Amino acid sequence: VLAIGAPFGLAETVTQGIISAKGRNNVGIAGIEDFLQTDAAINPGNSGGPLVNLHGELIGINTAIATSGLTRGYMGIGFAIPTEMIKQVLPDLREGREIVRGYLGVKIIGLDQEPGLAKTFGLEEDRGVGIDRVRPDSPAAKAGLKVDDVVLAIGNTKIESATQLMTMVSQTKPGNTLDLVVWRDGKKITVPVKIEAQPEDFYATSNWGEGGRRQEGSTNAETAEME
């Protein structure tokens, strides 16, 4: 693959590499992550530039790098948003419409990230997504989802990770219904959930985000004025 951009202000720079991995998540860059990983050199100034294959076809948009606290430069690991995600929002962007994300209203944990946790639910595989909290008056609450439910599939699509569930929900248009296959009390049940639009204060008030976001119900948050 080739990464094109203006690293450190050097316009029309091209670097080459391979796709090191696909479907990278839990990187800590965004709430929804499904990155291509590449070792094509990406530096400050590459973000927003294209990642193309050897046919000149756009396969991703260069986004970020993994680095240490000692340097801001390339260390062999870069990330690009895949074109599949871009295509989903491009029509709305072209028309100047607001990007609306689907919303379920739960705090979740991927069983693939916690080896052995699945057995506590009576499951044999470390697969699926456990529900750790249900937000009041959310689509999940209205549908009857409960804490300790494990989402195994949406329709016929198996759920392997928390990121996959988040991505599928966020890409569902509000008003549409998802049939969640849920493991509860040792058996599978199907729970239809009518997806709603993600609240405007989702990241400000939710308590399932990490990275310093305010905890829901917190009263000791500090404020500061900024020019």
Side-chain angles (χ1 to χ4, degrees):
V1 293
L2 304 175
I4 305 172
F8 301 110
L10 301 172
E12 300 179 1
T13 294
V14 178
T15 54
Q16 68 171 1
I18 63 169
I19 295 295
S20 307
K22 297 169 65 178
R24 284 293 191 217
N25 53 60
N26 297 319
V27 178
I29 298 173
I32 303 170
E33 298 178 335
D34 186 20
F35 290 110
L36 299 173
Q37 180 182 325
T38 180
D39 66 353
I42 294 176
N43 284 290
N46 275 111
S47 295
L51 186 70
V52 302
N53 62 22
L54 294 185
H55 299 289
E57 298 166 333
L58 178 71
I59 63 170
I61 298 295
N62 303 321
T63 304
I65 57 175
T67 185
S68 70
L70 302 177
T71 178
R72 295 177 59 238
Y74 167 72
M75 296 184 67
I77 299 177
F79 301 104
I81 299 172
T83 50
E84 286 80 2
M85 295 187 72
I86 299 166
K87 289 177 181 178
Q88 291 161 4
V89 299
L90 192 55
D92 288 329
L93 292 175
R94 280 176 171 159
E95 298 297 327
R97 294 190 295 264
E98 180 183 5
I99 304 299
V100 179
R101 302 287 188 188
Y103 168 68
L104 184 59
V106 292
K107 182 178 179 180
I108 56 179
I109 179 170
L111 301 189
D112 61 316
Q113 299 295 314
E114 299 286 343
L117 181 59
K119 291 185 178 180
T120 67
F121 294 102
L123 294 166
E124 295 299 323
E125 295 182 273
D126 291 327
R127 183 185 65 78
V129 175
I131 295 179
D132 190 52
R133 184 169 299 179
V134 178
R135 191 170 185 177
D137 200 35
S138 65
K142 295 173 184 176
L145 289 175
K146 300 179 180 181
V147 173
D148 288 339
D149 282 349
V150 178
V151 180
L152 299 177
I154 295 180
N156 295 323
T157 303
K158 290 183 178 181
I159 297 299
E160 305 287 347
S161 67
T163 299
Q164 182 189 7
L165 176 61
M166 291 169 60
T167 300
M168 291 184 68
V169 169
S170 69
Q171 293 172 354
T172 301
K173 291 186 178 297
N176 288 352
T177 298
L178 294 179
D179 290 326
L180 272 58
V181 179
V182 171
W183 181 261
R184 179 187 295 172
D185 299 329
K187 60 183 180 181
K188 290 182 182 180
I189 61 173
T190 299
V191 180
V193 182
K194 187 175 182 180
I195 298 301
E196 298 177 8
Q198 193 176 91
E200 292 183 1
D201 65 348
F202 178 72
Y203 287 110
T205 61
S206 67
N207 67 338
W208 46 81
E210 300 294 338
R213 296 192 182 112
R214 182 176 65 85
Q215 296 294 304
E216 189 171 21
S218 171
T219 58
N220 61 351
E222 297 181 359
T223 62
E225 292 185 0
M226 297 179 63
E227 294 183 2

